[in-house]
Amino acid sequence: MSTALGSAAVPAVAPLLELRGVTARFGSVAALSRVSLTLRAGEVTCVLGENGSGKSTLVALLSGLQRHDEGELLLDGQAVRFRTPGQARAAGIATVWQDLAVAPVMSVWRNFFLGAEPTRGVWPFRQLDLDAARDTTVREMARIGVTGIDPDAPASALRAGERHSLAIARALHFGARALVVDEPTAPLTVAQHALVLESLVAARGRGLAVVFVTHNPQYAHLVGDHYVLMAHGQVASNLTRDDVDVEDLTRLLAGGDDLRRLTETLRQLHPDLPR
């Protein structure tokens, strides 16, 4: 088996987030059906599957855009039901969306703070602390591997991978406990993909529960601790690095028959595997 990029050093703990038998419907169609999974602090869970497999609905559920109809969503062991994205953010769940939106003409530091700009002085003489805003942006971006940026440059000057890293750095700075990253749809170079992956590793190292939604088994295996393969709104398999290597993941995503056979084989060998 290959070694994960920056292997997680955080020991197994109780789940930060947990789904138990969750079903989410759009009308009569179950976009998610009896989905159960656990998301632990200090681990990266990669969610893989074809279009229509339920990945986007899972992201929407965790981020407060979609409510579940059956089952339970638990945060620190307590059942929750997010009614808005604001409630999910207030609970410490930050989502970096697939089609990342930034204000292109605004500076990098403005995009980093987005209404939470640091100030100095006391009311009524309080004023924006530009030095702190710039320094914080550069420092937090560097902590996740993005260096050499000009905080005063417009966000449009950032590459696609850097823009995603900016959103991740912002989530870390403002105290996120769980990070949900939907793989960017914009074409990225290998170096830009590396920035996004390095950001995920940094988030894991800082103790966040990370969910990485991707279609790329190679990237998933580089950073993942767990792999949730979805099909038709259900968890087709829930695997760890000890169960599969990158070739296994690639083959599983290429054919459902292989997935079913391997899943049954693994369950015979490991009866305690989650279903």
Side-chain angles (χ1 to χ4, degrees):
M1 302 289 178
S2 58
T3 302
L5 179 63
S7 298
V10 180
V13 294
L16 174 64
L17 281 166
E18 185 175 4
L19 281 73
R20 294 181 182 173
V22 165
T23 295
R25 297 188 179 90
F26 293 97
S28 60
V29 177
L32 294 177
S33 179
R34 300 185 298 279
V35 169
S36 295
L37 60 90
T38 59
L39 306 171
R40 300 180 185 277
E43 294 183 350
V44 176
T45 298
C46 297
V47 180
L48 304 101
E50 298 179 350
N51 291 337
S53 63
K55 302 192 306 296
S56 295
T57 303
L58 177 62
V59 172
L61 178 70
L62 293 173
S63 64
L65 279 177
Q66 173 70 34
R67 302 179 200 173
H68 53 286
D69 298 291
E70 298 174 11
E72 290 184 308
L73 171 63
L74 295 98
L75 174 67
D76 294 324
Q78 300 296 315
V80 294
R81 182 180 290 270
F82 301 129
R83 299 184 180 278
T84 66
Q87 290 182 349
R89 288 194 299 271
I93 303 172
T95 302
V96 179
W97 296 99
Q98 194 174 59
D99 297 312
L100 184 66
V102 298
V105 298
M106 290 174 61
S107 66
V108 173
W109 72 261
R110 282 279 189 186
N111 274 275
F112 184 91
F113 283 99
L114 287 177
E117 291 83 358
T119 59
R120 61 186 177 187
V122 295
W123 188 89
F125 306 108
R126 185 174 294 132
Q127 57 184 325
L128 180 64
D129 192 339
L130 287 173
D131 290 338
R134 295 178 179 120
D135 292 346
T136 299
T137 300
V138 171
R139 182 181 66 249
E140 293 301 312
M141 291 287 282
R143 290 182 71 180
I144 61 170
V146 182
T147 59
I149 66 165
D150 177 1
D152 291 312
S156 58
L158 296 175
R159 297 172 295 173
E162 291 173 334
R163 289 195 293 273
H164 262 73
S165 297
L166 171 64
I168 293 171
R170 183 174 62 213
L172 294 175
H173 177 72
F174 286 104
R177 302 176 62 210
L179 180 67
V180 182
V181 179
D182 207 355
E183 188 174 56
T185 54
L188 302 184
T189 65
V190 172
Q192 290 168 356
H193 273 296
L195 287 176
V196 176
L197 297 179
E198 189 172 351
S199 300
L200 301 183
V201 172
R204 177 179 65 187
R206 290 168 67 173
L208 275 71
V210 180
V211 181
F212 180 37
V213 180
T214 178
H215 67 280
N216 190 308
Q218 287 82 13
Y219 294 153
H221 204 266
L222 274 173
V223 298
D225 300 293
H226 300 274
Y227 313 101
V228 175
L229 279 68
M230 300 195 67
H232 308 296
Q234 297 180 310
V235 175
S237 200
N238 192 339
L239 308 168
T240 70
R241 294 186 62 83
D242 292 331
D243 298 322
V244 290
D245 58 20
V246 66
E247 289 79 14
D248 292 329
L249 279 180
T250 302
R251 185 168 59 254
L252 290 175
L253 289 176
D257 290 338
D258 285 342
L259 173 57
R260 284 190 292 272
R261 284 195 294 269
L262 179 57
T263 300
E264 290 308 314
T265 299
L266 286 170
R267 284 178 176 159
Q268 290 174 12
L269 296 173
H270 306 282
D272 56 336
L273 275 179
R275 291 182 174 270

